Amino acid sequence: MGILKQGSHKAPSPLLLLHIIIFIQVAPLIVKAQSLIPPKYDGFVYKNRAATTDSIIIEAFFDPVCPDSRDAWPPLKQAIHHYPSGSISLIVHTFPLPYHDNAFVTSRALHIVNSINSSATYNLLEIFFNDQERFYNPQTLNNSRASVVNQVTQVATKAVGKSNLSAIRSGFLDSKTDHATRSSFKYGCSRGVYGTPFFFVNGFALADGGSPITYKKWRSIIDPLVGKGKA
Ligand SMILES: *[C@@H]1O[C@H](CO)[C@@H](O)[C@H](O)[C@H]1NC(C)=O
Ligand SMILES: *[C@@H]1O[C@H](CO)[C@@H](O)[C@H](O)[C@H]1NC(C)=O
Ligand SMILES: *[C@@H]1O[C@H](CO)[C@@H](O)[C@H](O)[C@H]1NC(C)=O
């Protein structure tokens, strides 16, 4: 029986009112949750080796100013290069840790550079790793945020060339790059990432999240999987 039957003079029940109030409050959240979904899969694909379900997919969550992420990169890169390109693919996601003051701005620079020239994204990641200390907390304690953004812009220019300086500058003013960086972070949270580096192989989290993995260890993880996926 309809509570608001035509011609009925009964007042709406308190329960219905409560439902309406809850719906009005929750509806914007539902819309927000849907808009979290990015138009394409998150992350930067290494050397355009597109991930397919026939390849082993490694995913790494890195913070550009995290020393353990820096130390994790060379052995992972070496391991990726050991295998033929069709058999393995790598996707790096940015995951700025809240206790690293410049993690978000350096992560955002990666998203900006990726939108200008996606082939240069990993160059910038390596540039950050190689000269990471300058963006640590104590080293930038007295710097304004504007000054840090300016320094990061200069560093990012090294990856894409001076002709793209203004494109990087405007990238930092573009809310799209802010959202892309937030989206990566939220994606990491949704997968249970709580530190960096954090790795997934074919979607499964590796134990010891938050610590680097040696080349030997990578080989021992990947070797048993190679060639078995197609069977
Ligand atoms: C994009 O970056 C790659 C790698 O650094 C470089 O070889 C290429 O020339 C760049 N493309 C453009 C349009 O600048
Ligand atoms: C920051 O400023 C304080 C006070 O002026 C100074 O003692 C300190 O050495 C500065 N730190 C850096 C990293 O420049
Ligand atoms: C970046 O620079 C290259 C030339 O080096 C140019 O072709 C390209 O249009 C620039 N991209 C943007 C977004 O300014």
Side-chain angles (χ1 to χ4, degrees):
M1 205 212 295
I3 299 167
L4 287 172
K5 218 166 67 188
Q6 270 278 300
S8 154
H9 296 285
K10 230 169 93 186
S13 82
L15 192 64
L16 177 69
L17 282 178
L18 186 67
H19 282 159
I20 291 170
I21 290 167
I22 288 175
F23 180 77
I24 289 168
Q25 286 180 341
V26 166
L29 296 178
I30 296 168
V31 173
K32 246 186 178 162
Q34 283 171 343
S35 70
L36 261 182
I37 301 174
K40 66 184 263 300
Y41 192 73
D42 186 71
F44 310 128
V45 179
Y46 184 59
K47 296 219 184 265
N48 298 323
R49 293 180 185 182
T52 77
T53 47
D54 277 337
S55 65
I56 295 161
I57 302 171
I58 315 268
E59 287 174 89
F61 286 83
F62 283 154
D63 172 342
V65 290
C66 157
D68 286 334
S69 295
R70 173 194 63 195
D71 295 345
W73 173 234
L76 173 58
K77 185 181 176 184
Q78 192 189 352
I80 298 290
H81 281 268
H82 173 77
Y83 300 97
S85 62
S87 66
I88 194 159
S89 48
L90 168 69
I91 298 169
V92 163
H93 305 273
T94 52
F95 194 75
L97 295 170
Y99 38 86
H100 292 153
D101 293 344
N102 303 311
F104 192 87
V105 65
T106 48
S107 295
R108 188 173 178 183
L110 288 168
H111 285 272
I112 292 168
V113 160
N114 190 62
S115 71
I116 295 171
N117 178 356
S118 60
S119 310
T121 315
Y122 279 81
N123 298 355
L124 180 57
L125 183 66
E126 290 185 344
I127 291 170
F128 280 139
F129 282 161
N130 291 339
D131 192 12
Q132 197 180 53
E133 285 83 357
R134 62 184 291 189
F135 294 120
Y136 285 173
N137 296 1
Q139 278 81 343
T140 53
L141 184 66
N142 295 337
N143 297 9
S144 69
R145 204 183 121 66
S147 133
V148 172
V149 170
N150 195 39
Q151 284 180 58
V152 170
T153 301
Q154 299 301 330
V155 171
T157 308
K158 288 186 197 161
V160 282
K162 284 217 161 43
S163 56
N164 288 136
L165 175 64
S166 66
I168 297 167
R169 283 224 172 94
S170 48
F172 273 109
L173 301 172
D174 185 347
S175 63
K176 271 196 225 118
T177 68
D178 180 53
H179 286 136
T181 317
R182 292 183 194 202
S183 177
S184 297
F185 170 74
K186 289 174 182 178
Y187 182 58
C189 293
S190 77
R191 293 185 70 183
V193 175
Y194 53 80
T196 58
F198 209 100
F199 302 105
F200 293 83
V201 177
N202 290 342
F204 281 74
L206 296 187
D208 299 329
S211 0
I213 293 177
T214 62
Y215 174 72
K216 221 175 132 207
K217 185 81 197 291
W218 275 120
R219 291 290 310 278
S220 75
I221 294 166
I222 301 167
D223 276 353
L225 308 175
V226 172
K228 294 213 173 132
K230 287 182 188 123

